[in-house]
Amino acid sequence: MANSTKSCTKCGESKSLDAYSKNRQRKDGHESQCKACRSAAFAAWRLLNMDKRREDQKAWYAANPGAKAQHDRDYRANHLEEERAHHASWYAANREASIAAATAWVRANPDKLKAARDQPHRKATKSASDRAYRRAHLAETAAVTLAWKLANRDRVRVLTSRRKALKRDAPGHSTIAQVAARVAYYGGKCWMCGAAWQGIDHVKPLSKGGSNWPSNLRPACTSCNSSKKATWESPGVTVPALVKLNLAA
């Protein structure tokens, strides 16, 4: 081509043809506006039509879920370090907001969370990741665990009782709220001696076929729970007057 430059119809500057996008429908084979002007125009349009672009993207994602998922996987695979750096910097700048959003999602989507965690490959990956982290941060993990246990003593007692039942494959399931209701029913006292409760007693012991349903659970102190052991309906067990009144109510 004789002329290796042309004037942009937008900015009026004379630029080389390399500064223009190609367009076969034009006589000279290039756009009338330079790349810089077209980029600025597109950027301005995107800002003015942000809602429309989002709706178009949502519609395309809904119509092409497989293509979108594959595109995302390919992008992450090709920009792994960049993605990690971006997420790390964003999380550092928005830590509280991120934790709040994640907590809200978990509470609003318990079924989705359980389904995701129950996938075999996720369980294996999560377990391996957790073990590796604990090995690399033993002191920190121990300190966090201890602090949580001290701040959630009642919850720890309930979870300990539930874990024992799971080990014996006992029937029944009790939520933390249900166990808390049982403890409140007995006034937070041991059902056998009336002292402050320190754990959960299975009235019919797990070793005797007892269940983990709320009806089989009662608060107990460590001394009574240890003395009772695997006995069931022992004639030597005495119930304080306060508990008798509760049982009669």
Side-chain angles (χ1 to χ4, degrees):
M1 182 178 292
N3 295 327
S4 59
T5 62
K6 64 181 294 186
S7 296
C8 173
T9 57
K10 181 70 174 178
C11 63
E13 296 182 11
S14 180
K15 301 180 180 180
S16 66
L17 294 180
D18 292 338
Y20 297 83
S21 299
K22 293 183 178 181
N23 187 340
R24 294 181 180 179
Q25 296 180 355
R26 296 280 180 177
K27 290 183 179 180
D28 60 358
H30 294 80
E31 293 286 354
S32 60
Q33 296 181 5
C34 64
K35 293 179 181 178
C37 290
R38 285 175 60 82
S39 296
F42 287 145
W45 184 90
R46 285 193 292 269
L47 288 175
L48 293 174
N49 298 272
M50 189 173 295
D51 293 338
K52 182 179 184 304
R53 291 183 65 245
R54 288 175 178 170
E55 292 300 325
D56 291 344
Q57 284 181 341
K58 289 181 180 179
W60 189 88
Y61 293 159
N64 303 273
K68 175 62 169 58
Q70 186 60 46
H71 174 272
D72 290 346
R73 285 193 293 269
D74 292 342
Y75 181 87
R76 286 192 294 268
N78 295 328
H79 302 80
L80 191 57
E81 295 302 325
E82 181 182 343
E83 282 283 285
R84 288 176 177 173
H86 172 74
H87 286 303
S89 62
W90 187 92
Y91 181 79
N94 302 272
R95 185 173 184 275
E96 297 300 328
S98 178
I99 293 175
T103 302
W105 187 91
V106 168
R107 291 176 177 173
N109 300 274
D111 295 337
K112 290 183 179 180
L113 181 64
K114 185 178 185 304
R117 286 178 172 174
D118 287 344
Q119 295 182 17
H121 71 281
R122 286 184 178 271
K123 283 187 175 181
T125 303
K126 182 68 167 56
S127 298
S129 175
D130 288 348
R131 286 194 296 270
Y133 180 87
R134 286 194 293 269
R135 284 195 296 267
H137 304 82
L138 290 176
E140 180 183 351
T141 302
V144 171
T145 302
L146 178 60
W148 186 88
K149 287 183 176 180
L150 292 176
N152 299 271
R153 293 179 183 273
D154 292 349
R155 189 181 180 92
V156 170
R157 294 167 184 167
V158 174
L159 293 176
T160 300
S161 173
R162 183 186 297 177
R163 184 164 56 252
K164 290 180 179 178
L166 289 174
K167 285 184 177 180
R168 290 185 176 272
D169 197 22
H173 173 75
S174 301
T175 65
I176 293 177
Q178 289 173 327
V179 177
R182 294 291 290 172
V183 173
Y185 179 79
Y186 288 94
K189 305 293 184 180
C190 171
W191 76 279
M192 288 177 276
C193 71
W197 81 290
Q198 297 171 303
I200 298 298
D201 173 47
H202 292 82
V203 180
K204 182 177 181 179
L206 298 175
S207 60
K208 302 292 185 180
S211 72
N212 199 44
W213 292 115
S215 58
N216 193 43
L217 306 180
R218 295 182 187 179
C221 65
T222 302
S223 177
C224 289
N225 207 352
S226 299
S227 300
K228 179 174 175 285
K229 295 183 180 179
T231 57
W232 180 37
E233 298 294 341
S234 172
V237 173
T238 58
V239 183
L242 176 62
V243 176
K244 287 182 178 179
L245 290 175
N246 284 338
L247 290 174

